Amino acid sequence: MTRSTTLGLVLRVIGVLIALGIAVFPLYWMLVTALSSNADLFASSPRLIPDPGQIGVFGTALADGKAIGWLVNSLIIATGTMIVSIGLGIPLGYALSRFSFRGKVIVTIVLLFTQMLPEALMVVPLFSLFRRFGLLDSLAGLILANSAFVLPIVALILKGAIDGIPRELEEAARVDGALPLGILLRINLPLIAPSIAATAVIAFFHAWNEYVFAVTFIFTPGIQPASVGIANFIGELGTPIQTVMAVALMFTLPAVVFYLFAQKYVVGGMTAGAVKG
């Protein structure tokens, strides 16, 4: 190994460590804040090491069961959104990729256009629609709202992945008598599994972190997700910062762990449709 190669390797390692530190520091700072006394929080010099003596703050945050309920609600909403968006995105992406019909280009453009609209712009019409159909203040309504918002990007990613599958495979299956549904289930789905995993992660994270729809459509505290529940700690006279950070850390860690396990599928799935086979 030459000197220049060694120097390049060292610089890359240093760069990776710096990037890792930047990514991990917010989580570490939440832990430090949660495990700090009031005196440490308002001291002139910040505390950089967690105080193990303050570990009881996590027990306090979980004592009344509200935080656990928020996390469970968030899990239900995120999982439901993931299932609905994938279940509808697969046939929609397949139709856009394999079938020719009038208005196909317009449908694709509309799907792209929806990604330019902020959630806040859709709150009022969705609120009116959900009130008419009795979907307000329910987890099912929130799942539908999140699924509607994330479905276009799921369908477009899956369309790109299906575009990369050689049509000869489907033609051979048709010769053997396979129907379009059988071709989709037995040929396309196994080949686009990485893209399905990537879109599942995207849908899950969107619903897990979503706040605007949740705070607008959910009124009952018992069915609020964690993204809204954490905001309830903010009071007029005071805010328990340590408790807020403890719950926020518990809300963040499951998503981080989930992403660490799924990141290879996200990278593989996002690039699956980049080059046609």
Side-chain angles (χ1 to χ4, degrees), residues 135-212:
L135 293 173
L136 291 177
D137 202 25
S138 69
L139 296 181
L142 194 54
I143 289 172
L144 290 177
N146 289 325
S147 300
F149 195 82
V150 78
L151 177 59
I153 189 62
V154 170
L156 291 174
I157 292 175
L158 295 179
K159 173 188 178 301
I162 296 174
D163 286 342
I165 299 176
R167 290 179 179 267
E168 290 77 10
L169 294 176
E170 298 181 8
E171 293 173 358
R174 289 193 187 95
V175 171
D176 292 335
L179 298 176
L181 182 59
I183 294 174
L184 174 62
L185 296 178
R186 298 179 182 180
I187 296 178
N188 289 323
L189 288 190
L191 294 177
I192 64 171
S195 295
I196 294 175
T199 52
V201 172
I202 293 173
F204 183 91
F205 271 88
H206 169 81
W208 182 267
N209 297 318
E210 201 281 324
Y211 177 81
V212 176

Side-chain angles (χ1 to χ4, degrees), residues 49-174:
I49 299 176
D51 183 5
Q54 301 293 325
I55 194 67
V57 68
F58 288 94
T60 302
L62 299 174
D64 57 4
K66 290 183 179 180
I68 296 178
W70 295 336
L71 293 172
V72 171
N73 293 335
S74 293
L75 181 62
I76 293 173
I77 294 168
T79 304
T81 300
M82 179 179 65
I83 293 173
V84 172
S85 59
I86 295 298
L88 296 178
I90 289 175
L92 178 56
Y94 182 72
L96 292 174
S97 175
R98 290 299 192 247
F99 295 107
S100 297
F101 53 89
R102 182 177 299 178
K104 176 180 176 180
V105 175
I106 297 178
V107 172
T108 305
I109 293 175
V110 169
L111 291 176
L112 287 172
F113 181 73
T114 58
Q115 299 307 297
M116 305 177 190
L117 301 176
E119 288 185 353
L121 191 64
M122 303 170 62
V123 167
V124 174
L126 279 178
F127 187 92
S128 177
L129 186 65
F130 280 18
R131 183 174 60 179
R132 177 176 300 179
F133 289 98
L135 293 173
L136 291 177
D137 202 25
S138 69
L139 296 181
L142 194 54
I143 289 172
L144 290 177
N146 289 325
S147 300
F149 195 82
V150 78
L151 177 59
I153 189 62
V154 170
L156 291 174
I157 292 175
L158 295 179
K159 173 188 178 301
I162 296 174
D163 286 342
I165 299 176
R167 290 179 179 267
E168 290 77 10
L169 294 176
E170 298 181 8
E171 293 173 358
R174 289 193 187 95

Side-chain angles (χ1 to χ4, degrees), residues 14-75:
I14 294 175
V16 170
L17 291 177
I18 292 175
L20 182 62
I22 294 174
V24 173
F25 181 76
L27 294 175
Y28 178 75
W29 193 248
M30 281 194 291
L31 178 63
V32 172
T33 305
L35 300 182
S36 297
S37 63
N38 288 330
D40 291 330
L41 288 178
F42 299 102
S44 56
S45 56
R47 184 183 185 90
L48 300 178
I49 299 176
D51 183 5
Q54 301 293 325
I55 194 67
V57 68
F58 288 94
T60 302
L62 299 174
D64 57 4
K66 290 183 179 180
I68 296 178
W70 295 336
L71 293 172
V72 171
N73 293 335
S74 293
L75 181 62

